[in-house]
């Protein structure tokens, strides 16, 4: 089965650059090529959602020249890729705590979201200034604010939580890929990845290309997703939890 939503923790840019004696930013720039390659693959194979963990809440703690270099790279990539998004019918979205993101980056993001908003092919989502805990907290806080006076009768449930999360309307990831040999989720989509299949590879992100994505999808397609049910129930068509 082809996954509807693939998400990638793009890791290993710094190590890739170090291996060839270059600055970390050189690795991030090379990583932008891998983004392009994966988008192309996703378009060619009819993947509906491709999301990328580009910059975490914790990444704000990196050296300031690396942070500003990444923000400039984001603007450069948006400017360069917008015509490609239009040509390939890609809808671009960015999710995260934009209150911390420099204004010029946010305005380029909003402009690109607007320009590509009616495209109906691949939805490309960039998670920027994002963390899973931030997402859950903003959801709970908004829920409490909007429902003041209705407690304690009013309860939070899973459907309500989904509506308040920043990913509302986007299906939960079927496949999460993390590159560079690290095997953790690093405060990414904590709620949304409850039943996601994980695929870890030693390949560093700047080396990750279409064939690596194809291999991850091939491994995914052989997995049996049981959602807490038995294998026999799944074979009989008793559906999973999402
Ligand atoms: C993790 O590698 C990577 C990042 C924090 C940045 C990812 C950004 C890009 C690939 C830039 C292009 C993105 C878009 C959406 C155009 P790391 O720096 O943690 O690597 P290390 O673990 O080897 O140090």
């Amino acid at each position: 089965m082809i996954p509807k939503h693939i998400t990638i923790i793009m890791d290993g840019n710094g190590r890739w650059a170090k291996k060839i004696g270059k600055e970390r930013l050189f690795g991030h720039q090379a990583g932008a090529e891998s983004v392009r390659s994966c988008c192309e693959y996703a378009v060619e194979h009819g993947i509906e959602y491709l999301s990328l963990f580009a910059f975490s809440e914790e990444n704000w703690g990196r050296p300031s020249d690396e942070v500003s270099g990444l923000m400039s790279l984001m603007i450069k990539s948006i400017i360069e890729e917008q015509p490609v998004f239009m040509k390939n019918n890609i809808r671009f979205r960015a999710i995260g705590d934009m209150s911390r993101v420099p204004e010029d980056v946010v305005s380029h993001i909003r402009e690109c979201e607007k320009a590509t908003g009616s495209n109906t092919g691949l939805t490309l989502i960039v998670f920027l200034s994002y963390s899973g805990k931030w997402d859950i907290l903003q959801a709970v806080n908004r829920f409490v604010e909007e429902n003041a006076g209705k407690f304690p009768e009013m309860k939070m449930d899973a459907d309500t939580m989904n509506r308040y999360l920043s990913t509302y309307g986007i299906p939960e990831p079927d496949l999460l890929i993390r590159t560079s040999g690290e095997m953790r989720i690093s405060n990414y989509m904590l709620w949304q990845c409850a039943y996601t299949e994980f695929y870890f590879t030693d390949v560093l992100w700047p080396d990750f290309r279409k064939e690596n994505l194809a291999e991850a999808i091939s491994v995914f397609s052989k997995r049996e997703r049981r959602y807490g049910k038995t294998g026999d129930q799944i074979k009989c068509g008793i559906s999973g939890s999402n």
Side-chain angles (χ1 to χ4, degrees), residues 9-242:
I9 302 181
M10 310 179 287
D11 200 5
N13 297 350
R15 277 164 282 167
W16 183 89
K18 195 173 177 191
K19 267 201 330 189
I20 54 167
K22 301 271 192 187
E23 297 292 317
R24 297 179 56 81
L25 207 49
F26 190 78
H28 297 316
Q29 285 157 356
E33 255 324 299
S34 307
V35 170
R36 200 166 295 130
S37 176
C38 289
C39 283
E40 270 175 29
Y41 182 96
V43 169
E44 285 158 9
H45 291 81
I47 306 289
E48 291 182 51
Y49 296 85
L50 175 66
S51 61
L52 306 166
F53 200 10
F55 191 90
S56 72
E57 199 181 20
E58 292 79 8
N59 287 154
W60 289 116
R62 290 195 175 195
S64 60
D65 58 339
E66 183 173 348
V67 172
S68 59
L70 275 165
M71 292 301 141
S72 304
L73 179 58
M74 202 58 63
I75 293 181
K76 182 173 175 277
S77 299
I78 290 172
I79 293 171
E80 281 175 8
E81 296 308 316
Q82 192 166 313
V84 182
F85 295 159
M86 295 314 291
K87 181 168 162 266
N88 291 325
N89 198 20
I90 297 173
R91 181 178 178 200
F92 173 82
R93 285 190 61 185
I95 290 178
D97 181 2
M98 295 300 154
S99 69
R100 301 184 71 179
V101 178
E103 254 175 52
D104 54 344
V105 182
V106 179
S107 67
H108 279 91
I109 284 172
R110 296 300 176 228
E111 197 322 270
C112 189
E113 285 180 329
K114 205 169 152 210
T116 63
S118 313
N119 290 347
T120 54
L122 171 72
T123 299
L124 173 68
I125 305 146
V126 169
F127 282 86
L128 182 66
S129 185
Y130 177 86
S131 84
K133 288 186 183 179
W134 165 81
D135 202 358
I136 291 168
L137 289 172
Q138 69 77 30
V140 171
N141 285 328
R142 273 198 304 127
F143 171 74
V144 169
E145 270 164 37
E146 287 176 21
N147 294 289
K150 299 184 195 159
F151 299 107
E153 289 75 20
M154 177 68 107
K155 304 278 183 229
M156 176 65 99
D157 59 23
D159 285 343
T160 310
M161 188 65 164
N162 283 330
R163 272 194 283 115
Y164 279 89
L165 285 169
S166 64
T167 50
Y168 178 53
I170 298 167
E172 292 175 353
D174 299 296
L175 170 62
L176 179 148
I177 298 169
R178 183 170 188 156
T179 57
S180 88
E182 309 292 356
M183 296 188 196
R184 52 181 174 264
I185 191 166
S186 295
N187 201 3
Y188 191 30
M189 287 191 267
L190 300 177
W191 174 277
Q192 297 88 336
C193 286
Y195 274 99
T196 299
E197 295 292 328
F198 288 8
Y199 174 87
F200 298 106
T201 172
D202 287 339
V203 176
L204 301 175
W205 178 248
D207 289 328
F208 196 90
R209 287 293 181 276
K210 287 180 186 181
E211 50 277 20
N212 306 99
L213 183 53
E215 171 62 14
I217 294 171
S218 161
V219 169
F220 166 85
S221 67
K222 295 183 189 96
R223 302 249 179 105
E224 184 182 57
R225 304 182 78 189
R226 293 196 294 274
Y227 304 99
K229 309 273 186 319
T230 68
D232 286 344
Q233 284 177 303
I234 297 299
K235 280 184 198 96
C236 291
I238 296 171
S239 65
S241 72
N242 71 351

